[in-house]
Amino acid sequence: MKIAVLGTGMVGQTIAGKLAELGHEVIMGTRDAEKAKSRKGTDAMGRPAVGDWLSMHPEIKLATLSEAAAAGEIIVNATSGFGTLDALGHAGSENLRNKVLIDIANPLDFSKGMPPTLWVCNTDSLGEQIQKAFPEAKVVKALNTMNAYLMVNPSLVPGDHSVFMSGNDAEAKKAVLGILASFGWKTENIIDLGDITTARGTEQMLPIWVRLMGVFGHPVFNFSIVKGTPAQR
Ligand SMILES: NC(=O)c1ccc[n+]([C@@H]2O[C@H](COP(=O)([O-])OP(=O)(O)OC[C@H]3O[C@@H](n4cnc5c(N)ncnc54)[C@H](OP(=O)(O)O)[C@@H]3O)[C@@H](O)[C@H]2O)c1
């Protein structure tokens, strides 16, 4: 399948790399392909900049946001939360029409330092804003509640733990479930929360996620939802 991954950061690289490993044709979208290719070296965490990363992944094409979105049968949004609506605007509503749009972005505001706050919450979410701005796209919010490496390799955390989906279109969620399963997620650990308004819930898990990372000192952990049996009345 042809899949467009919009965003060249840690999430974009991790998702694109895994999809390519699974045999998909992956086109990564960026605002400026030449600028992205010129990014070299490593970041503070020792991860390669996208220019070097692309040299290590010649099977992955780099294109503008609109070229990538036009080519993709499925689109993954891995852009920064603040940049998402702008990035999807550049991708073009005509290129998102009737396509599954997997939204991994979080509306985090780091402008006042750590911990970040949410710039949309409670009565709205970034997932809903995307769906509203691009009504013909089939937005499915997923994977935003964990570290990038865990998204494509759930076995990094032992045992059963959870991934959530929010979206209005049942067929789109079925397609996303298939992709999650191909990443190694057990179907019983994939929780369909309902329509896109439920993205409010998963985006609002980020404040506790950030605090947990502070306590553990690393990001290799996840939420695990454990269900009991409703008490007899
Ligand atoms: N890092 C994680 O483990 C993790 C986990 C869960 C969710 N997320 C969410 O996933 C998303 C990606 O995270 P990340 O850590 O990979 O990278 P990031 O630094 O948050 O952003 C990555 C990309 O956003 C694009 N971007 C930034 N500002 C933009 C703007 N104004 N207009 C258009 N595009 C813009 C950049 O594209 P260019 O190539 O054009 O520069 C960049 O490649 C974020 O929303 C983050 O909250 C991250």
Side-chain angles (χ1 to χ4, degrees):
M1 197 159 214
K2 281 188 188 173
I3 303 186
V5 177
L6 309 182
T8 57
M10 178 184 178
V11 176
Q13 291 176 24
T14 307
I15 297 283
K18 182 66 182 183
L19 290 169
E21 188 189 305
L22 290 169
H24 296 287
E25 190 180 328
V26 181
I27 310 105
M28 197 176 233
T30 182
R31 286 168 290 183
D32 183 335
E34 287 315 307
K35 203 166 157 189
K37 279 185 206 157
S38 72
R39 289 184 198 137
K40 305 280 182 188
T42 48
D43 68 12
M45 309 293 287
R47 291 183 299 252
V50 66
D52 283 335
W53 185 86
L54 284 163
S55 307
M56 292 180 247
H57 294 84
E59 74 283 12
I60 294 173
K61 294 182 203 134
L62 184 71
T64 63
L65 293 163
S66 66
E67 287 164 348
E73 296 164 87
I74 288 182
I75 317 285
V76 178
N77 174 39
T79 60
S80 83
F82 270 132
T84 282
L85 290 171
D86 198 30
L88 293 175
H90 283 102
S93 54
E94 66 284 5
N95 295 323
L96 305 177
R97 185 174 299 138
N98 292 327
K99 293 182 185 173
V100 176
L101 170 55
I102 306 174
D103 171 38
I104 307 181
N106 280 311
L108 296 177
D109 179 356
F110 292 94
S111 64
K112 295 191 177 64
M114 287 294 279
T117 54
L118 297 169
W119 52 262
V120 53
C121 60
N122 293 330
T123 54
D124 197 4
S125 62
L126 180 57
E128 285 166 88
Q129 292 195 353
I130 297 170
Q131 186 62 81
K132 200 170 169 193
F134 303 94
E136 292 177 305
K138 300 170 184 179
V139 180
V140 180
K141 185 110 210 170
L143 292 168
N144 62 309
T145 53
M146 67 193 73
N147 167 260
Y149 300 134
L150 190 56
M151 294 175 191
V152 300
N153 187 4
S155 67
L156 286 177
V157 169
D160 285 312
H161 47 94
S162 312
V163 59
F164 308 95
M165 288 196 300
S166 304
N168 296 342
D169 189 288
E171 286 303 311
K173 284 192 278 193
K174 215 181 270 178
V176 176
L177 190 138
I179 289 176
L180 295 177
S182 74
F183 287 173
W185 288 96
K186 293 185 206 164
T187 39
E188 62 268 30
N189 291 334
I190 303 172
I191 302 178
D192 180 351
L193 289 171
D195 70 20
I196 194 65
T197 64
T198 64
R200 294 174 197 178
T202 56
E203 291 178 9
Q204 289 178 121
M205 289 167 83
L206 265 293
I208 180 67
W209 188 95
V210 169
R211 267 90 178 168
L212 288 167
M213 190 172 84
V215 172
F216 299 148
H218 66 78
V220 189
F221 61 88
N222 195 17
F223 297 103
S224 176
I225 305 304
V226 184
K227 281 196 289 186
T229 311
Q232 296 285 330
R233 284 167 189 256

